[in-house]
Amino acid sequence: MALDTRTERRPSFAGLLWHSTVGKKTAMAVSGVVMLLYLVAHMMGNLKIFFGPDELNGYGHWLRTVGEPFLHHEWFLWIARVVLLAAVLTHAVAAFQLSRRDIKARPSKYVHKKARTSYATRTMRWGGVILALFIVWHILDLTTLTVNPRAEAGHPYQNLIASFDRWPVTTLYIVAMLALGLHVRHGFWSAAQTLGVGSAARDRVLKTVANLLALVLTAGFVAVPVAVVTGAVS
Amino acid sequence: MKLTLRVWRQRDADADGGMTTYDVDGISPDMSFLEMLDTLNEELILKGDDPVAFDHDCREGICGACSLVINGEAHGPERTTTCQLHMRSFRDGDTIDVEPWRAAAFPVVRDLVVDRSAFDRIIQSGGYITAPTGAAPEAHATPVPKPDADTAFEHAECIGCGACVAACPNGSAMLFTSAKVNHLNVLPQGAPEREARVLDMVGRMDDEGFGGCTLAGECATACPKGIPLFSITRMNREYVRAARKSRR
Ligand code: HEM
Ligand code: SF4
Ligand code: FES
């Protein structure tokens, strides 16, 4: 044995990662963190609704001009969209493949059931499905305006009010944001473990940051439709 | 003590199994859980029935042979091995459910006995160091910093029982594999194979059909040796480092 030499070539870094459970989880964690960073920025942008139509519409217009004159009109936005699409797809495909594998690895249940793990942990998969459906609807509603009742390009403030002025829509939105809060609560802490930065000494800090992030994101996103439907913003 | 047991009985790997109810009497609170099962088996043998098959060896919590999911918990309600679990942890008149480890990679052999050789194959894929055999080397030739020795020892405590897999909702062997990887990877003796070890052992773990980690934390709660959940964090770090370094 001691004279054995390793001669086979190892696969590439990305290939190696994608083909192992540990590596695929790393892809999930990285894409999750990318989405998380985006969501923080997105939430702060949304809050401009409280400062009137000019401020929100002006912000929407500015987003299209970021990077000019180096970047052409809307290039920054398209780069962000491509990165986000890649992140969502990577995350969802990895989640699907890993979940299928996990279910196969535990085919028979215990007869004696025990209440296991926290709610946030247990709802990662269904919560993820809710988020995926939400993302599709959200883009159709406020980006492409396909299903928006007003659909006036360049006027996000008016479109947003038109959409959220309906109770069922606001309710769905709030449900999705609660799912997001739960997902982030377990997800942020998980990502720290997956990326190898967690430890016993840092655990309290990481859990606190995860809870704060979940709370702030959910509250920040939910504030907008609630303000619209209650008439605080119109 | 008088107890009602509901025990998983399964003739062989291909047979359908099910829970069978037995009443046992005259159990002392000082008996271990395995001695209680011995009592049941003596009665079954006297009646001409097949005794319940279960794994055991040292009966002192160090070999990792015993198993059993007791009332839904791997190794039962205390943080110890089933052989070190005493009947005083239960009350007179209790009904106790006894099931085998459940995981695709741990098929049932008979009754409560499962085949854990997948663990052996994970060890064979990298859970060793390459060293010339012969006379023992001088103990002080390779200095090991105290914190590293402590970390190695903490992980070396894993007895390979498989409770982590049994408790995991994904049938994942991450806690076991991380204990074995970290034990050797922090030591200078393990350094030459540091990258290959983690890549090969995780690869073997995946090939054996264990699930992935969703950080549910059930494994660390069930582990009789207190291997911490952060062992998995540490192995994740080792894995990405090795994947990066081994690229050529
Ligand atoms: C496309 C819809 C989504 C699906 C299907 C999905 C699904 C999942 C699943 C199944 C997990 C693993 C859960 C576990 O390990 O128990 C996960 C983890 C995670 N998700 Fe999502 N998710 C989605 C969207 C999002 C979004 C929008 C974010 C951004 C906030 C996000 C952030 C995370 C993070 C940070 C993790 C932790 C990664 C890790 O465990 O290392 N996910 N997701
Ligand atoms: S990590 Fe703990 S539960 Fe898992 S095999 Fe080792 S000793 Fe048993
Ligand atoms: S029989 Fe050896 S650890 Fe339980």
Side-chain angles (χ1 to χ4, degrees):
Chain A
M1 280 305 285
L3 294 177
D4 249 10
T5 48
R6 185 178 299 281
T7 47
E8 86 271 22
R9 263 181 81 86
R10 295 226 176 245
S12 72
F13 180 58
L16 197 57
L17 288 192
W18 191 252
H19 291 293
S20 80
T21 51
V22 172
K24 199 165 280 190
K25 195 79 200 276
T26 309
M28 270 191 89
V30 171
S31 53
V33 168
V34 168
M35 291 191 282
L36 206 54
L37 291 174
Y38 163 75
L39 286 179
V40 172
H42 185 24
M43 183 211 67
M44 296 193 1
N46 287 1
L47 294 180
K48 296 199 169 43
I49 194 167
F50 292 105
F51 304 103
D54 292 346
E55 179 139 354
L56 187 77
N57 289 350
Y59 168 68
H61 178 73
W62 171 78
L63 279 179
R64 275 145 243 272
T65 64
V66 175
E68 285 180 21
F70 176 64
L71 295 176
H72 186 66
H73 188 66
E74 286 203 350
W75 274 20
F76 167 77
L77 209 58
W78 278 104
I79 292 170
R81 284 171 179 165
V82 169
V83 170
L84 282 173
L85 184 69
V88 171
L89 287 181
T90 306
H91 196 80
V93 170
F96 176 76
Q97 293 180 344
L98 285 174
S99 299
R100 222 174 50 161
R101 199 195 150 86
D102 293 348
I103 292 166
K104 234 175 74 186
R106 175 53 106 57
S108 32
K109 306 260 165 291
Y110 289 109
V111 174
H112 190 111
K113 305 255 179 319
K114 272 211 70 89
R116 294 182 176 279
T117 65
S118 78
Y119 190 72
T121 311
R122 273 181 287 134
T123 50
M124 286 304 271
R125 286 176 196 155
W126 280 111
V129 170
I130 291 177
L131 287 178
L133 293 174
F134 170 79
I135 291 169
V136 172
W137 170 75
H138 189 61
I139 290 174
L140 291 177
D141 184 26
L142 294 169
T143 307
T144 66
L145 305 176
T146 318
V147 298
N148 189 277
R150 187 171 168 122
E152 207 180 321
H155 292 82
Y157 187 91
Q158 286 75 10
N159 295 333
L160 204 143
I161 303 267
S163 190
F164 287 146
D165 218 1
R166 303 169 293 174
W167 264 111
V169 169
T170 294
T171 311
L172 272 180
Y173 189 94
I174 292 175
V175 169
M177 290 309 101
L178 292 177
L180 176 72
L182 285 173
H183 201 81
V184 167
R185 187 174 180 216
H186 181 67
F188 178 82
W189 176 84
S190 288
Q193 311 311 321
T194 303
L195 299 174
V197 296
S199 68
R202 287 201 200 121
D203 205 44
R204 283 234 333 242
V205 173
L206 283 171
K207 283 205 163 116
T208 310
V209 172
N211 287 342
L212 268 179
L213 207 53
L215 200 71
V216 169
L217 275 179
T218 308
F221 279 122
V222 162
V224 175
V226 167
V228 172
V229 90
T230 56
V233 163
S234 61
Chain B
M1 292 170 84
K2 206 171 141 135
L3 298 164
T4 305
L5 296 175
R6 299 201 306 156
V7 183
W8 184 264
R9 302 299 312 256
Q10 180 173 340
R11 178 148 287 283
D12 56 49
D14 302 320
D16 286 334
M19 301 295 269
T20 305
T21 306
Y22 301 101
D23 289 315
V24 282
D25 205 348
I27 300 300
S28 145
D30 297 329
M31 280 182 178
S32 75
F33 200 86
L34 297 185
E35 286 167 333
M36 185 276 293
L37 286 181
D38 292 337
T39 311
L40 168 69
N41 275 345
E42 276 164 19
E43 285 174 25
L44 290 180
I45 291 166
L46 283 177
K47 276 195 279 184
D49 285 345
D50 274 339
V52 177
F54 61 88
D55 265 327
H56 62 105
D57 190 8
C58 71
R59 296 206 175 198
E60 52 187 62
I62 55 170
C63 75
C66 61
S67 56
L68 308 187
V69 169
I70 301 162
N71 285 342
E73 289 181 284
H75 289 304
E78 313 282 341
R79 176 170 264 199
T80 184
T81 53
T82 293
C83 60
Q84 290 292 299
L85 174 69
H86 290 89
M87 295 316 292
R88 52 181 167 268
S89 300
F90 301 89
R91 271 186 312 225
D92 192 29
D94 274 359
T95 299
I96 305 174
D97 288 336
V98 191
E99 299 173 72
W101 284 174
R102 294 260 181 232
F106 284 169
V108 172
V109 176
R110 184 187 171 98
D111 296 339
L112 303 170
V113 177
V114 299
D115 177 359
R116 281 173 284 188
S117 54
F119 268 13
D120 301 340
R121 291 187 289 274
I122 293 177
I123 294 292
Q124 280 160 11
S125 70
Y128 53 80
I129 60 162
T130 303
T133 53
E138 153 60 32
H140 296 294
T142 315
V144 181
K146 177 78 164 85
D148 291 352
D150 287 346
T151 306
F153 198 80
E154 186 183 20
H155 291 103
E157 279 196 66
C158 167
I159 53 177
C161 62
C164 43
V165 176
C168 175
N170 312 315
S172 173
M174 286 284 278
L175 195 67
F176 165 77
T177 309
S178 66
K180 298 304 176 191
V181 165
N182 295 334
H183 163 205
L184 298 177
N185 271 21
V186 295
L187 292 174
Q189 289 86 344
E193 289 110 347
R194 182 170 170 189
E195 290 83 26
R197 174 174 303 112
V198 61
L199 295 176
D200 291 345
M201 288 179 79
V202 168
R204 189 73 242 168
M205 177 186 89
D206 287 350
D207 290 346
E208 292 291 344
F210 291 104
C213 179
T214 56
L215 292 151
E218 291 291 329
C219 53
T221 307
C223 176
K225 296 295 157 182
I227 304 294
L229 191 57
F230 302 110
S231 298
I232 293 176
T233 310
R234 185 185 269 269
M235 182 172 74
N236 288 336
R237 190 159 67 227
E238 284 290 311
Y239 189 89
V240 174
R241 178 187 170 278
R244 208 156 25 81
K245 283 196 86 169
S246 73
R247 187 172 39 153
R248 273 181 290 170

